[in-house]
């Protein structure tokens, strides 16, 4: 599993032909503390940087939206 994440990161950041990523994250995913404050700061910083890339579309599903669609979180992203 870690190998797939590393490969996806390399392809996402590769130049000149990166993959295109469109993802929806539930707000609670951003608020759930995992690994302590330092890890969370690094994770959120990384998400912010990646979200600035032209070939990345990152959206947040707010708490106020109510229950997530059926299949969530497994059907929440598309990589092309």
């Amino acid at each position: 599993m870690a190998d797939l994440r590393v490969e996806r990161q390399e392809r996402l950041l590769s130049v000149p032909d990166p993959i295109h990523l469109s993802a929806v994250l539930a707000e609670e995913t951003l608020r759930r503390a995992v690994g302590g404050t330092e890890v969370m700061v690094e994770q959120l910083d990384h998400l912010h940087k990646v979200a600035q890339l032209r070939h990345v579309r990152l959206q947040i599903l707010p708490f106020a939206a109510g229950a997530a669609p059926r299949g969530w979180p497994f059907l929440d992203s598309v990589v092309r």
Side-chain angles (χ1 to χ4, degrees):
M1 188 77 152
D3 291 342
L4 287 174
R5 282 194 302 257
V6 170
E7 180 182 344
R8 185 173 53 229
Q9 283 296 316
E10 288 172 354
R11 293 184 58 209
L12 186 65
L13 301 174
S14 70
V15 177
D17 190 27
I19 58 173
H20 292 256
L21 173 70
S22 179
V24 178
L25 298 176
E27 182 179 350
E28 58 265 25
T29 348
L30 301 175
R31 295 183 179 272
R32 186 177 303 121
V34 177
T37 303
E38 186 176 326
V39 171
M40 289 303 295
V41 168
E42 289 175 12
Q43 290 289 323
L44 293 172
D45 184 53
H46 177 72
L47 278 175
H48 182 260
K49 287 177 183 174
V50 169
Q52 304 305 309
L53 299 172
R54 292 180 54 184
H55 54 278
V56 173
R57 180 176 171 204
L58 181 62
Q59 296 175 292
I60 308 302
L61 179 67
F63 284 124
R70 184 176 178 194
W72 186 271
F74 306 105
L75 303 175
D76 66 342
S77 63
V78 177
V79 178
R80 288 184 239 117

